[in-house]
Amino acid sequence: TDDSLSGGGGEGDNNAIVLGKKTLPDCIVSDIRMPEMDGLELLQRIRDDETMMEVPVVLLTAKGMTQDRIAGYNAGADAYLPKPFDPDELVAIVDGVIERHENLNGANVQVDDLKRDLDEIKYLLLEKGGGGIGNGWVEQTNVFLAPDERQILALLCEGLMTKEIAAKTFLSTRRVEQLLTRMFRKTGVKNRTELVRWAVKTGNVQL
């Protein structure tokens, strides 16, 4: 990755936060055990900061520190890596959380492209008929979505981005990301556009 920050402890962490606000990084990597300000406190400050709250954070921790990992996940950590670690593994983890973050937030999806996809799907439904499962274009699915997932999905299909969905539902952006991740996993899709296509094809939303 070309754009990431590392926290090294104490004054360095304060500098990392200041620098991060000026040039928003793709990802932040921090040790969980540091003098003055530990990784959990740094993570909390990042999540409480309006500018940096959505930046992915990877925490480094000693082997076997289960409680640290649980506390970190509860505070909004995106991934953990136990020490000692292979540098290539760290690069792979950072690349993975950045890609996941971009997929969740639609960084690789232009709004115009998403709306064009919706228009195409709507056209296919009208052309092929929407007479229900087996009679039209709607596909059967055994995937069950919870009410909060359905709410997020409906807004996503309107072409809204993560921040806009969060504002409409009074949820945090992190919570919206969690719900999107859960739906990605349930439906077997990789990004927002694929999820919208799945939703329309299976009749989970009405256009």
Side-chain angles (χ1 to χ4, degrees):
T1 61
D2 298 324
D3 196 4
S4 61
L5 287 179
S6 280
E11 187 65 29
D13 290 326
N14 288 319
N15 291 339
I17 292 174
V18 172
L19 179 60
K21 288 184 178 182
K22 292 180 179 178
T23 55
L24 200 65
D26 293 327
C27 181
I28 294 174
V29 180
S30 174
D31 199 318
I32 199 168
R33 296 289 182 177
M34 300 181 294
E36 295 187 39
M37 185 194 303
D38 65 22
L40 292 175
E41 184 180 349
L42 174 64
L43 174 60
Q44 192 60 60
R45 288 185 61 176
I46 291 168
R47 293 297 176 241
D48 288 342
D49 186 273
E50 187 174 341
T51 304
M52 300 181 65
M53 64 186 302
E54 293 185 34
V55 175
V57 176
V58 177
L59 293 180
L60 308 177
T61 183
K63 264 189 175 179
M65 302 300 289
T66 305
Q67 291 305 314
D68 281 348
R69 290 198 297 274
I70 292 173
Y73 282 128
N74 288 338
D78 293 88
Y80 261 101
L81 184 60
K83 299 181 293 185
F85 57 84
D86 187 312
D88 289 339
E89 184 180 4
L90 176 59
V91 170
I93 289 175
V94 169
D95 285 345
V97 297
I98 290 174
E99 182 180 1
R100 185 166 65 246
H101 177 75
E102 289 176 344
N103 287 337
L104 287 170
N105 287 278
N108 296 325
V109 179
Q110 297 297 321
V111 174
D112 288 344
D113 292 340
L114 188 57
K115 288 182 177 176
R116 197 157 42 242
D117 275 346
L118 288 171
D119 288 340
E120 179 187 346
I121 293 169
K122 187 185 294 186
Y123 171 77
L124 289 172
L125 282 170
L126 292 172
E127 283 293 301
K128 297 191 178 244
I133 295 168
N135 297 321
W137 196 63
V138 178
E139 298 176 359
Q140 186 171 11
T141 178
N142 294 322
V143 175
F144 173 78
L145 297 180
D148 53 354
E149 293 171 335
R150 287 183 176 278
Q151 182 184 25
I152 300 301
L153 184 59
L155 293 172
L156 179 66
C157 289
E158 292 178 13
L160 273 61
M161 297 292 104
T162 302
K163 285 184 178 180
E164 295 169 323
I165 294 174
K168 276 188 171 288
T169 57
F170 302 102
L171 297 172
S172 67
T173 55
R174 300 295 296 179
R175 180 56 181 161
V176 173
E177 288 180 354
Q178 289 173 350
L179 291 169
L180 285 171
T181 298
R182 203 159 70 189
M183 286 190 283
F184 285 179
R185 187 168 56 249
K186 282 183 177 182
T187 59
V189 303
K190 296 179 181 178
N191 56 51
R192 297 161 64 98
T193 303
E194 289 183 6
L195 183 59
V196 168
R197 284 183 173 273
W198 174 87
V200 178
K201 283 183 179 181
T202 56
N204 274 277
V205 295
Q206 299 294 321
L207 295 180

